[in-house]
Amino acid sequence: MADVLIAGGGIAGSALAIMLGRAGLTVELFEQCHFPREKPCGEGLMPGGVGVLERLGIAEAVGGAPFNGVRYYTGSLVVEGCFPTIAGTPAMGRGQRRRQLDQVLFAAAAATPGVIAQTGMRVDAPLCERGRVVGLIVTGQARRAPLVVAADGAHSRMRRLLQLDAPPPRRRRVGLRTHFRLAGGQAQPPWVEVFLGRGYELYVTPLPGDELLVAGLAERASVVGGAEACLRRWIAEQPILCERLIGAQQCSAMLGMSPLGIRAHAGVAPGIVLLGDAAGALDPITGGGMAQALLTAELLAHYVTQQWECGDGWLLAYDRARRALLRDEQLLTQFVLGLAAHPWLAQQALRLLHAAPALFSYLIAVAAGVRSPWPAATAPPLHRTHPEAHSCRDRD
C-alpha cells in the first residue's frame, strides 16, 4: 500500500509527487489524460513558481522565455512594473507552453524513486469509510492509502463527490487563448503585456521559438460572434499588438474556459487534501495560478513530511497556512477584478501606480508570488527516512 495517492498529474499533483518521493514516501500518481496535452490557461509562470522549479532542479528542463515584469497598456498610457530583486538577483518569470511544463513535471515524477506515475487512469471516486477518505476508486479498482490528495483541476470530480463545492462567483467570466508564431524572428519584449479594452483584457506572454500566447479575459456577455472572431476583434482594437502580429501565423487552436473563479467550502476533509485548482481557483486576471499551484504543493509536502504520524490534526493547520499563503493574491485579484468592470477607474488606478512606483512594486511582488506570509524561498528542506522518525510536538 502506498503512503499517498494523488488524483491528477498536472502541475500541482506532479510537483507534490516529486517532493514526497524525494522525502522517502511511496506515492501513486494517477492522470486520466496522456502527455503532451493542451490546456486553456495562461502560460506565464511567475517568479514564485520558477523558484519552486529551481528548488526541484528541473527549471532548465522546463525552459521558457524569461520576462522581468508586467507592462500595462490603456489608451496612450503605458505602465511597467518589474519584479523585485531577491538576494541581489532580479526575480524573473518564464513563459512556456503548458504542454511542455506539464510533460516535464510528470516525467520527473515518474522518474522519482518511490513514485508510480500512470497516465490513462481515471479516478472514479474517493473511497470512504466511517466518514473518512481511505483511498480512491481507480478504473473500478479500490486503492488504499493513509493520505489522499485531489489535484484533479478546477472542475474537480473529487471536490464535487465530497460535496465541497461552493457556489461560483456571480460574475461569469470567460477565458480564451491561442498562440502565434511571429514573422521574421521578431524580438519579443521581456514582459507579460496586458492590454486593457472595453469589457476585456488581453494578455500577451513571450514563449520560446518566436511564439507568443495571446489570451483574452472578459465577461461572458462580451463574447459575441464566436470566440475566434471575438479575440481577433479585440486584437484589432489594440494598435501596438496588432502591428506586432502582422505576418504572424496562428499556430494553435482556440481554446476557452468558463467559469474562471472556482470556490470550495474547505480545502481538506478527513483523510484528503484538495490541492491546486481543486481547492479553488482565482480568476486569472493577476496571472498567478501556476505559481500558486507549485507553492501550495511545496507547502503541503512540508506538512506531510513533518506531521506524518500526527493523524488528521495537521490537515486544518495546513489549510490555514494555505489560505494565509494565498491571501494577498486573493485580495489583489478582487481589487483588480473590481477595476476591470470599470475601465475609467482602471485607467485612473494605473495613472496612480505610475506615479507611485513603490506601491506598484509591492503589488507586482504579490502577483509574482514572492511576497507572502509563508515565503517559499525559506521553506524548510524535506527530510524523511521512516514515518516513525517524526514526532507530533508541532501538532495543531
Side-chain angles (χ1 to χ4, degrees), residues 198-339:
R198 284 201 161 273
Y200 66 86
E201 310 93 49
L202 286 178
Y203 292 77
V204 179
T205 303
L207 300 170
D210 297 324
E211 291 185 0
L212 54 79
L213 169 81
V214 178
L217 304 179
E219 306 292 335
R220 179 177 290 181
S222 299
V223 181
V224 179
E228 188 97 27
C230 195
L231 189 62
R232 290 192 175 276
R233 184 171 66 250
W234 293 341
I235 291 171
E237 292 173 359
Q238 302 294 335
I240 293 174
L241 178 57
C242 193
E243 181 178 355
R244 191 180 310 166
L245 293 179
I246 292 174
Q249 176 187 2
Q250 185 175 343
C251 55
S252 73
M254 179 77 65
L255 292 179
M257 182 177 178
S258 181
L260 296 181
I262 304 293
R263 296 174 178 173
H265 285 300
V268 299
I272 190 168
V273 178
L274 306 184
L275 180 63
D277 286 349
L282 298 177
D283 187 293
I285 195 166
T286 53
M290 293 193 296
Q292 292 164 17
L294 290 166
L295 289 166
T296 52
E298 191 172 57
L299 176 64
L300 178 57
H302 169 65
Y303 269 83
V304 171
T305 56
Q306 298 300 312
Q307 309 260 355
W308 182 252
E309 287 291 283
C310 298
D312 286 342
W314 64 270
L315 293 174
L316 291 176
Y318 158 74
D319 202 38
R320 286 194 295 270
R322 178 186 68 86
R323 293 176 186 275
L325 172 65
L326 302 179
R327 187 171 298 127
D328 285 355
E329 176 77 7
Q330 290 173 333
L331 292 172
L332 178 62
T333 297
Q334 292 170 2
F335 174 69
V336 176
L337 274 174
L339 291 178

Side-chain angles (χ1 to χ4, degrees), residues 154-213:
H155 302 293
S156 169
R157 174 190 294 269
M158 297 297 106
R159 184 184 64 232
R160 176 172 56 82
L161 292 176
L162 290 167
Q163 299 183 339
L164 294 176
D165 273 325
R170 286 179 294 177
R171 289 175 65 178
R172 305 293 285 181
R173 299 246 301 163
V174 175
L176 309 171
R177 77 100 178 102
T178 190
H179 300 89
F180 292 91
R181 183 172 293 110
L182 298 177
Q186 183 181 150
Q188 300 191 59
W191 307 90
V192 167
E193 297 176 290
V194 185
F195 297 84
L196 304 181
R198 284 201 161 273
Y200 66 86
E201 310 93 49
L202 286 178
Y203 292 77
V204 179
T205 303
L207 300 170
D210 297 324
E211 291 185 0
L212 54 79
L213 169 81

Side-chain angles (χ1 to χ4, degrees), residues 374-393:
W374 192 84
T378 58
L382 304 178
H383 297 293
R384 178 181 183 271
T385 55
H386 195 271
E388 286 73 18
H390 291 269
S391 73
C392 298
R393 62 181 179 273

